[in-house]
Amino acid sequence: MSANKPLSARQKKAIAAAIRKAQMQGRRAASAQQTIPYKEMYPDGICKVKDNYFTKTIQFFDINYQLARNEDKNEIFENYCDFLNYFDQSISVQFSFLNQTVDMAEYEKAVHIPEQADNFNDIRIEYMGMLKNQLSRGNNGIIKRKFITFGIEADNLKAAKQKLERIETDILGNFKALGVQARPLNGLERLELLHCTFNEGEKDKFGFHWDLVHKTGLSSKDFIAPTSFDFRDSRTFGMGGRIGTVSFLQILAPELTDRMLADFLDLDMGIGVNIHIKSIDQSEAIKTVKRKITDLDKMKIEEQKKAVRSGYDMDIIPSDLATFGGEAKNLLEQLQSRNERMFLVTVLVMNTADNKQKLDNMFFAAQGIAQKYNCALKRLDFQQEQALMSSVPIGLNQIEIQRGLTTSSTAIFVPFTTQELFQAGDEALYYGLNALSNNMILVDRKKLKNPNGLILGTPGSGKSFSAKREIANAFLVTQDDIIICDPEAEYAPLVSRLNGQIIRISPNSHDYINPMDINLNYSEDENPVQLKSDFILSLCELIVGGKNGLEPIEKSVIDRAVINIY
């Protein structure tokens, strides 16, 4: 057919039909379930993302880093570098840091004090009001959770399970070396995490168990998917009743600081930071850097030849060539002689809000933090769907914007700030606000590794007030016995107000201590009479004093007398 020959009516009709069909296919919306990019979730926590790609997730908790001494910080940083170096090119890693809103009514149940059959319920109500006020001052209904999701390629589930379990054991061991508590998530917990991510701010509770898959014929996606996804806007996305946007961190600064990630996570709003890390084979990384150095040397020679032909000094070369050459040689030295590897890193920041105005304000705040550290936060235009699915802890990175960083440069996004103490138990006591995160400290010391406590501070800083507040808290919440040794009689008014018993011991008081008294329950394993005999011998020896103390015959008399008396 000649290229200049006009189309026939039949051909025009066929082309028009093909165009309409393509347009209809383009308009056909995928379901919310089809948008979520995984194939199957298994009860043991393994997720089949693709036919040959499987992932698992571990939740880890915080340690005190930002408030630590410099030498402790350096030790944590070096151990974290060793942790990153564990991952080779066969393992894909995703760190997820999620600030998510919670129902304050549910959250306030942690500080609820039940009424008791005494005359102090009015004080309990007043104290509980103070706790709720402190709770609202702290996290503003935001919970912060941290996860690491790792994935490998395998031919089938059985092969993937063996490799993932080995990697999981190694990761937990590395976290233990860092002093970090961590635990793997099972399939139900991973689905609950995805449900919370996709349905943030919604009141619908996560209700799923594995029998529902067989009974209803639905997949696990049906129980975690929001009501809808909307990606019609190139710069934002709709997810259920919320609007959001995902941006990538453009790293421009020559040096980064370990405060950047912490500042992002300190924002009192719904924000999620995801860091995708992919290791490069060490030998391949060195070859790549050497090739770049060779290319730079070649360009330098070309510039020198051009200088000779033009008749000026051949040592005058463009400053960019000199700078890039020095940086490339420094990078090669780090890879060859130091404990450094090369990683491809993608940093994604996701903001969600109830309306567009709040979203713009949140994005502006996050953008300000990036600019503070000489970086830029760029929205992923026309890639919001891929960016959103790369911002959920599935372990899949669909954004091809990557930055090559060494181990120490990657580890500068240190995921630790300060350890939180918030135990929602029946006997958890209030101990103030965290100095760094401003979150409430609520803990049952009896459940900690070391239940002992020590109050330190300068004169007038509130040591006595802190002790009295804890005493009152323990009285209102627990059934524990409270015993106070108070030489200055400072706590007597509080004990009187709580209807406690005050025992005054002095030469002029009417209360005395009888050192000869004995309690038959004094010891469970040893003879209480023998223990009492030893005590009285020591007491008499202390009273008698002298150079030699008690004589043997005196000890014998006391021992026989004690046995006869008791």
Side-chain angles (χ1 to χ4, degrees), residues 202-269:
E202 301 292 337
K203 294 184 179 180
D204 294 338
K205 302 297 182 182
F206 175 69
F208 173 80
H209 57 84
W210 299 105
D211 293 340
L212 292 175
V213 176
H214 306 290
K215 292 180 179 179
T216 63
L218 302 174
S219 71
S220 59
K221 294 182 183 181
D222 294 289
F223 296 91
I224 66 171
T227 54
S228 64
F229 287 113
D230 186 357
F231 301 105
R232 289 175 293 180
D233 190 344
S234 63
R235 310 195 74 193
T236 61
F237 63 84
M239 184 170 63
R242 295 176 69 84
I243 185 174
T245 186
V246 182
S247 313
F248 75 95
L249 184 67
Q250 189 177 23
I251 302 174
L252 304 172
E255 292 185 1
L256 298 173
T257 173
D258 57 3
R259 278 295 311 174
M260 183 190 297
L261 180 60
D263 284 354
F264 276 122
L265 299 179
D266 283 343
L267 294 174
D268 291 333
M269 57 185 67

Coordinates of all heavy atoms in Angstrom, one line a residue, residues 202-269:
E202 N -9.6 6.1 60.1 CA -10.9 5.5 60.0 C -11.3 4.8 61.3 O -10.4 4.3 62.1 CB -11.0 4.5 58.9 CG -10.6 5.2 57.5 CD -11.7 6.1 57.0 OE1 -12.9 6.0 57.5 OE2 -11.4 7.0 56.2
K203 N -12.6 4.7 61.6 CA -13.1 4.1 62.8 C -13.3 2.6 62.7 O -13.5 1.9 63.6 CB -14.4 4.7 63.3 CG -14.2 6.2 63.7 CD -15.5 6.8 64.3 CE -15.3 8.2 64.7 NZ -16.5 8.8 65.3
D204 N -13.2 2.1 61.4 CA -13.4 0.6 61.2 C -12.3 -0.1 61.8 O -11.1 0.1 61.5 CB -13.5 0.3 59.7 CG -14.8 1.0 59.1 OD1 -15.7 1.2 59.9 OD2 -14.8 1.2 57.9
K205 N -12.6 -1.1 62.6 CA -11.6 -1.9 63.2 C -11.1 -3.1 62.3 O -11.9 -3.5 61.4 CB -12.1 -2.5 64.6 CG -12.5 -1.5 65.6 CD -11.3 -0.6 66.0 CE -11.8 0.4 67.0 NZ -10.7 1.3 67.4
F206 N -9.9 -3.5 62.5 CA -9.4 -4.6 61.7 C -10.0 -5.9 62.2 O -9.8 -6.3 63.3 CB -7.9 -4.7 61.7 CG -7.3 -5.8 61.0 CD1 -7.3 -5.9 59.6 CD2 -6.7 -6.8 61.7 CE1 -6.8 -7.0 59.0 CE2 -6.1 -7.9 61.1 CZ -6.1 -8.0 59.7
G207 N -10.8 -6.6 61.4 CA -11.4 -7.8 61.8 C -11.1 -8.9 60.7 O -11.7 -8.9 59.7
F208 N -10.2 -9.8 61.0 CA -9.8 -10.8 60.1 C -9.2 -12.0 60.8 O -8.5 -11.8 61.8 CB -8.7 -10.2 59.1 CG -8.1 -11.3 58.2 CD1 -8.8 -11.7 57.0 CD2 -6.9 -11.8 58.5 CE1 -8.3 -12.6 56.2 CE2 -6.4 -12.8 57.6 CZ -7.0 -13.2 56.5
H209 N -9.5 -13.2 60.3 CA -8.8 -14.4 60.7 C -8.8 -15.3 59.5 O -9.5 -15.1 58.5 CB -9.5 -15.1 61.9 CG -10.9 -15.4 61.8 ND1 -11.3 -16.6 61.1 CD2 -12.0 -14.8 62.1 CE1 -12.6 -16.6 61.1 NE2 -13.1 -15.6 61.7
W210 N -7.9 -16.2 59.5 CA -7.6 -17.0 58.3 C -8.7 -17.8 57.8 O -8.8 -18.1 56.6 CB -6.3 -17.8 58.6 CG -5.1 -17.0 58.9 CD1 -4.6 -16.8 60.1 CD2 -4.4 -16.2 58.0 NE1 -3.5 -16.0 60.1 CE2 -3.4 -15.6 58.8 CE3 -4.4 -15.9 56.7 CZ2 -2.4 -14.7 58.2 CZ3 -3.5 -15.0 56.1 CH2 -2.5 -14.4 56.9
D211 N -9.6 -18.2 58.7 CA -10.8 -19.0 58.3 C -11.7 -18.2 57.3 O -12.4 -18.8 56.5 CB -11.6 -19.5 59.5 CG -10.8 -20.5 60.3 OD1 -9.9 -21.0 59.8 OD2 -11.2 -20.6 61.5
L212 N -11.7 -16.9 57.4 CA -12.5 -16.1 56.6 C -12.2 -16.2 55.1 O -13.0 -16.1 54.2 CB -12.5 -14.6 57.0 CG -13.1 -14.3 58.3 CD1 -12.9 -12.8 58.7 CD2 -14.6 -14.6 58.3
V213 N -10.9 -16.5 54.8 CA -10.5 -16.6 53.4 C -11.2 -17.8 52.8 O -11.6 -17.8 51.6 CB -8.9 -16.8 53.3 CG1 -8.5 -17.0 51.9 CG2 -8.3 -15.5 53.9
H214 N -11.3 -18.9 53.5 CA -11.9 -20.1 53.0 C -13.5 -20.0 53.0 O -14.1 -20.5 52.1 CB -11.5 -21.4 53.8 CG -10.0 -21.5 53.9 ND1 -9.2 -21.8 52.8 CD2 -9.1 -21.3 54.9 CE1 -7.9 -21.9 53.1 NE2 -7.9 -21.6 54.4
K215 N -14.0 -19.4 54.1 CA -15.4 -19.3 54.2 C -16.1 -18.3 53.2 O -17.2 -18.6 52.7 CB -15.8 -18.9 55.6 CG -15.5 -20.0 56.7 CD -15.9 -19.5 58.1 CE -15.5 -20.6 59.1 NZ -15.9 -20.2 60.5
T216 N -15.4 -17.2 53.0 CA -16.0 -16.1 52.2 C -15.5 -16.1 50.7 O -16.1 -15.5 49.9 CB -15.7 -14.8 52.8 OG1 -14.3 -14.5 52.8 CG2 -16.3 -14.7 54.2
G217 N -14.4 -16.8 50.5 CA -13.8 -16.7 49.1 C -13.1 -15.4 48.8 O -12.6 -15.2 47.7
L218 N -12.9 -14.6 49.8 CA -12.2 -13.3 49.7 C -10.7 -13.5 49.9 O -10.3 -14.5 50.5 CB -12.8 -12.2 50.6 CG -14.3 -11.9 50.4 CD1 -14.7 -10.9 51.5 CD2 -14.6 -11.3 49.1
S219 N -10.0 -12.6 49.5 CA -8.5 -12.6 49.8 C -8.2 -11.7 51.0 O -9.1 -10.9 51.4 CB -7.7 -12.1 48.6 OG -7.9 -10.8 48.4
S220 N -7.0 -11.7 51.5 CA -6.7 -10.9 52.6 C -6.7 -9.4 52.3 O -6.9 -8.5 53.1 CB -5.3 -11.2 53.1 OG -4.3 -11.1 52.1
K221 N -6.6 -9.1 51.0 CA -6.6 -7.7 50.5 C -8.0 -7.1 50.8 O -8.1 -5.9 51.0 CB -6.3 -7.6 49.0 CG -4.9 -8.0 48.7 CD -4.6 -7.8 47.2 CE -3.3 -8.2 46.7 NZ -3.1 -8.0 45.3
D222 N -9.0 -7.9 50.7 CA -10.4 -7.3 50.9 C -10.6 -6.8 52.3 O -11.5 -6.0 52.6 CB -11.4 -8.4 50.6 CG -11.4 -8.8 49.2 OD1 -11.9 -8.0 48.3 OD2 -11.0 -9.9 48.9
F223 N -9.8 -7.3 53.3 CA -10.0 -6.9 54.7 C -9.0 -5.7 55.1 O -9.2 -5.2 56.2 CB -9.7 -8.1 55.6 CG -10.7 -9.2 55.4 CD1 -10.4 -10.2 54.5 CD2 -11.9 -9.2 56.1 CE1 -11.3 -11.3 54.3 CE2 -12.8 -10.3 55.9 CZ -12.5 -11.3 55.0
I224 N -8.1 -5.4 54.2 CA -7.1 -4.3 54.6 C -7.3 -3.1 53.6 O -6.8 -2.0 53.9 CB -5.7 -4.8 54.5 CG1 -5.3 -5.2 53.1 CG2 -5.5 -5.9 55.5 CD1 -3.8 -5.4 52.9
A225 N -7.9 -3.3 52.5 CA -8.0 -2.2 51.5 C -9.0 -1.1 52.0 O -10.0 -1.3 52.7 CB -8.5 -2.8 50.2
P226 N -8.6 0.2 51.7 CA -9.6 1.3 52.0 C -10.8 1.2 51.1 O -10.9 0.4 50.1 CB -8.7 2.5 51.7 CG -7.7 2.1 50.7 CD -7.4 0.6 50.9
T227 N -11.7 2.1 51.3 CA -12.9 2.1 50.4 C -12.5 2.5 49.0 O -13.2 2.0 48.1 CB -13.9 3.2 51.0 OG1 -13.2 4.5 51.1 CG2 -14.4 2.8 52.3
S228 N -11.5 3.3 48.8 CA -11.1 3.6 47.4 C -9.7 4.2 47.4 O -9.2 4.7 48.4 CB -12.1 4.6 46.8 OG -12.0 5.9 47.5
F229 N -9.1 4.1 46.2 CA -7.9 4.9 45.9 C -8.2 5.8 44.7 O -9.0 5.5 43.8 CB -6.7 3.9 45.4 CG -6.1 3.1 46.5 CD1 -6.3 1.8 46.6 CD2 -5.4 3.8 47.5 CE1 -5.7 1.0 47.6 CE2 -4.8 3.0 48.6 CZ -5.0 1.6 48.6
D230 N -7.6 7.0 44.8 CA -7.9 8.0 43.7 C -6.5 8.6 43.4 O -5.9 9.3 44.1 CB -8.8 9.1 44.2 CG -9.2 10.1 43.1 OD1 -8.7 9.9 42.0 OD2 -10.0 11.0 43.4
F231 N -6.1 8.3 42.1 CA -4.8 8.8 41.6 C -5.0 9.8 40.4 O -4.1 9.9 39.6 CB -3.9 7.7 41.2 CG -3.6 6.7 42.4 CD1 -4.2 5.5 42.4 CD2 -2.8 7.1 43.4 CE1 -4.0 4.6 43.5 CE2 -2.5 6.2 44.5 CZ -3.1 5.0 44.5
R232 N -6.2 10.4 40.3 CA -6.4 11.3 39.2 C -5.5 12.5 39.2 O -5.1 13.0 38.2 CB -7.9 11.6 39.1 CG -8.8 10.5 38.7 CD -10.2 10.9 38.8 NE -10.7 11.1 40.1 CZ -11.9 11.4 40.5 NH1 -12.8 11.6 39.5 NH2 -12.2 11.7 41.8
D233 N -5.3 13.0 40.4 CA -4.4 14.2 40.5 C -3.0 13.7 40.4 O -2.6 12.8 41.0 CB -4.6 14.9 41.9 CG -4.0 16.2 42.0 OD1 -3.1 16.5 41.1 OD2 -4.3 17.0 42.9
S234 N -2.2 14.5 39.6 CA -0.8 14.0 39.4 C 0.1 14.2 40.6 O 1.2 13.6 40.7 CB -0.2 14.8 38.2 OG -0.2 16.2 38.5
R235 N -0.3 15.1 41.6 CA 0.6 15.4 42.7 C 0.1 14.9 44.0 O 0.8 15.0 45.0 CB 0.8 17.0 42.8 CG 1.1 17.6 41.5 CD 1.7 19.0 41.7 NE 3.0 19.0 42.3 CZ 3.6 20.1 42.9 NH1 2.9 21.2 42.9 NH2 4.8 20.0 43.4
T236 N -1.1 14.4 44.1 CA -1.7 13.9 45.4 C -2.4 12.6 45.1 O -2.6 12.2 43.9 CB -2.6 14.9 46.0 OG1 -3.7 15.1 45.1 CG2 -1.9 16.2 46.3
F237 N -2.8 11.9 46.1 CA -3.6 10.7 46.0 C -4.7 10.7 47.0 O -4.6 11.4 48.1 CB -2.8 9.4 46.1 CG -2.1 9.3 47.5 CD1 -2.8 8.7 48.6 CD2 -0.8 9.7 47.7 CE1 -2.3 8.6 49.8 CE2 -0.3 9.6 49.0 CZ -1.0 9.0 50.0
G238 N -5.8 10.1 46.7 CA -6.9 9.9 47.7 C -6.9 8.5 48.2 O -6.7 7.5 47.4
M239 N -7.1 8.3 49.5 CA -7.1 7.0 50.1 C -8.2 7.0 51.2 O -8.0 7.6 52.2 CB -5.7 6.7 50.7 CG -5.6 5.3 51.3 SD -3.8 5.0 51.7 CE -3.5 6.2 53.0
G240 N -9.3 6.3 50.8 CA -10.4 6.4 51.7 C -11.0 7.8 51.8 O -11.2 8.5 50.8
G241 N -11.1 8.3 53.0 CA -11.5 9.7 53.2 C -10.4 10.7 53.4 O -10.7 11.8 53.9
R242 N -9.2 10.3 53.1 CA -8.0 11.1 53.4 C -7.3 11.4 52.0 O -7.5 10.8 51.0 CB -7.0 10.5 54.3 CG -7.6 10.3 55.7 CD -6.6 9.6 56.6 NE -5.4 10.4 57.0 CZ -5.4 11.3 57.9 NH1 -6.5 11.5 58.7 NH2 -4.3 12.0 58.2
I243 N -6.5 12.5 52.1 CA -5.7 12.9 50.9 C -4.3 12.9 51.4 O -4.0 13.1 52.5 CB -6.2 14.3 50.4 CG1 -5.4 14.7 49.2 CG2 -6.0 15.3 51.5 CD1 -5.9 16.0 48.5
G244 N -3.4 12.6 50.4 CA -2.0 12.5 50.8 C -1.1 12.7 49.6 O -1.5 12.9 48.4
T245 N 0.2 12.8 49.9 CA 1.2 13.0 48.8 C 2.5 12.3 49.3 O 2.8 12.2 50.5 CB 1.4 14.5 48.5 OG1 2.3 14.6 47.4 CG2 2.0 15.2 49.7
V246 N 3.2 11.8 48.3 CA 4.5 11.2 48.6 C 5.6 11.9 47.8 O 5.4 12.3 46.7 CB 4.5 9.7 48.1 CG1 5.9 9.0 48.5 CG2 3.4 8.9 48.8
S247 N 6.7 12.2 48.5 CA 7.8 12.9 48.0 C 9.1 12.1 48.2 O 9.1 11.2 49.0 CB 8.0 14.3 48.6 OG 6.7 15.0 48.7
F248 N 10.1 12.4 47.4 CA 11.4 11.8 47.6 C 12.4 12.8 48.1 O 12.3 14.0 47.8 CB 11.9 11.1 46.3 CG 12.4 12.1 45.3 CD1 13.8 12.3 45.2 CD2 11.6 12.6 44.4 CE1 14.3 13.2 44.2 CE2 12.0 13.5 43.4 CZ 13.4 13.8 43.3
L249 N 13.3 12.4 48.9 CA 14.3 13.3 49.5 C 15.5 13.4 48.5 O 16.2 12.4 48.2 CB 14.8 12.8 50.8 CG 15.8 13.7 51.6 CD1 15.1 15.0 52.0 CD2 16.4 12.9 52.8
Q250 N 15.7 14.5 48.0 CA 16.8 14.8 47.0 C 18.0 15.2 47.9 O 18.1 16.3 48.5 CB 16.5 15.8 46.0 CG 17.5 16.0 44.9 CD 17.1 17.0 43.9 OE1 16.3 17.9 44.2 NE2 17.6 16.9 42.7
I251 N 19.0 14.4 48.0 CA 20.2 14.6 48.9 C 21.2 15.5 48.1 O 21.8 15.0 47.2 CB 20.8 13.3 49.4 CG1 19.7 12.4 50.1 CG2 22.0 13.5 50.3 CD1 20.2 11.1 50.5
L252 N 21.3 16.7 48.5 CA 22.2 17.7 47.9 C 23.4 18.0 48.8 O 24.4 18.5 48.3 CB 21.5 18.9 47.5 CG 20.2 18.8 46.6 CD1 19.5 20.1 46.5 CD2 20.6 18.2 45.3
A253 N 23.2 17.8 50.1 CA 24.3 18.3 51.1 C 25.5 17.4 50.9 O 25.4 16.2 50.8 CB 23.7 18.2 52.5
P254 N 26.7 18.0 51.0 CA 27.9 17.2 51.0 C 28.1 16.3 52.2 O 28.7 15.3 52.2 CB 29.1 18.2 50.9 CG 28.5 19.5 51.4 CD 27.0 19.4 51.1
E255 N 27.5 16.8 53.4 CA 27.6 16.1 54.6 C 26.2 16.1 55.2 O 25.5 17.1 55.2 CB 28.6 16.7 55.6 CG 30.0 16.5 55.1 CD 31.0 17.0 56.2 OE1 30.5 17.5 57.2 OE2 32.2 17.0 55.9
L256 N 25.8 14.9 55.7 CA 24.5 14.8 56.4 C 24.6 14.7 57.9 O 25.7 14.5 58.4 CB 23.8 13.5 55.9 CG 23.5 13.5 54.4 CD1 22.9 12.1 54.0 CD2 22.5 14.6 54.0
T257 N 23.6 14.9 58.6 CA 23.6 14.8 60.1 C 22.6 13.8 60.6 O 21.6 13.5 59.9 CB 23.2 16.2 60.7 OG1 23.1 16.1 62.1 CG2 21.9 16.8 60.1
D258 N 22.9 13.2 61.7 CA 22.0 12.2 62.3 C 20.7 12.7 62.9 O 19.9 12.0 63.4 CB 22.8 11.4 63.3 CG 23.3 12.3 64.5 OD1 23.0 13.5 64.4 OD2 24.0 11.7 65.4
R259 N 20.5 14.1 62.8 CA 19.3 14.7 63.3 C 18.1 14.7 62.3 O 17.0 15.0 62.6 CB 19.5 16.1 63.8 CG 20.1 16.1 65.2 CD 19.2 15.6 66.3 NE 17.9 16.2 66.2 CZ 16.9 15.8 67.0 NH1 17.0 14.8 67.8 NH2 15.7 16.4 66.9
M260 N 18.5 14.5 61.0 CA 17.5 14.8 60.0 C 16.3 13.9 60.1 O 15.1 14.3 60.2 CB 18.1 14.6 58.6 CG 17.1 14.9 57.4 SD 17.7 14.5 55.8 CE 19.1 15.5 55.7
L261 N 16.5 12.6 60.2 CA 15.4 11.6 60.3 C 14.6 11.9 61.6 O 13.4 11.8 61.6 CB 15.9 10.2 60.3 CG 14.9 9.1 60.4 CD1 13.9 9.1 59.3 CD2 15.6 7.7 60.4
A262 N 15.3 12.2 62.7 CA 14.6 12.4 64.0 C 13.7 13.6 63.9 O 12.6 13.7 64.4 CB 15.6 12.6 65.1
D263 N 14.2 14.7 63.1 CA 13.3 15.9 63.0 C 12.1 15.6 62.1 O 11.0 16.1 62.4 CB 14.2 17.0 62.3 CG 15.1 17.6 63.3 OD1 15.1 17.3 64.5 OD2 16.0 18.5 62.9
F264 N 12.2 14.8 61.1 CA 11.0 14.4 60.4 C 10.0 13.7 61.3 O 8.8 13.9 61.2 CB 11.4 13.4 59.2 CG 11.9 14.2 58.0 CD1 13.1 13.9 57.4 CD2 11.1 15.1 57.3 CE1 13.5 14.6 56.3 CE2 11.5 15.7 56.2 CZ 12.7 15.5 55.7
L265 N 10.5 12.8 62.1 CA 9.6 12.0 62.9 C 9.1 12.7 64.1 O 8.2 12.3 64.8 CB 10.4 10.7 63.4 CG 10.8 9.8 62.3 CD1 11.6 8.6 62.9 CD2 9.7 9.3 61.4
D266 N 9.7 13.9 64.4 CA 9.2 14.7 65.5 C 8.0 15.6 65.2 O 7.4 16.2 66.0 CB 10.3 15.6 66.0 CG 11.3 14.9 66.9 OD1 11.0 13.8 67.4 OD2 12.4 15.4 67.1
L267 N 7.7 15.6 63.9 CA 6.5 16.3 63.4 C 5.2 15.7 64.0 O 5.0 14.5 63.9 CB 6.4 16.4 61.9 CG 7.5 17.1 61.2 CD1 7.4 16.9 59.7 CD2 7.4 18.6 61.5
D268 N 4.4 16.5 64.7 CA 3.2 16.0 65.3 C 2.1 15.9 64.3 O 1.1 16.6 64.3 CB 2.8 16.9 66.5 CG 3.7 16.8 67.6 OD1 4.4 15.8 67.8 OD2 3.8 17.8 68.4
M269 N 2.2 15.0 63.4 CA 1.3 14.8 62.3 C 1.4 13.4 61.7 O 2.4 12.7 62.0 CB 1.5 15.9 61.2 CG 2.9 15.9 60.6 SD 3.1 17.2 59.5 CE 3.1 18.6 60.6

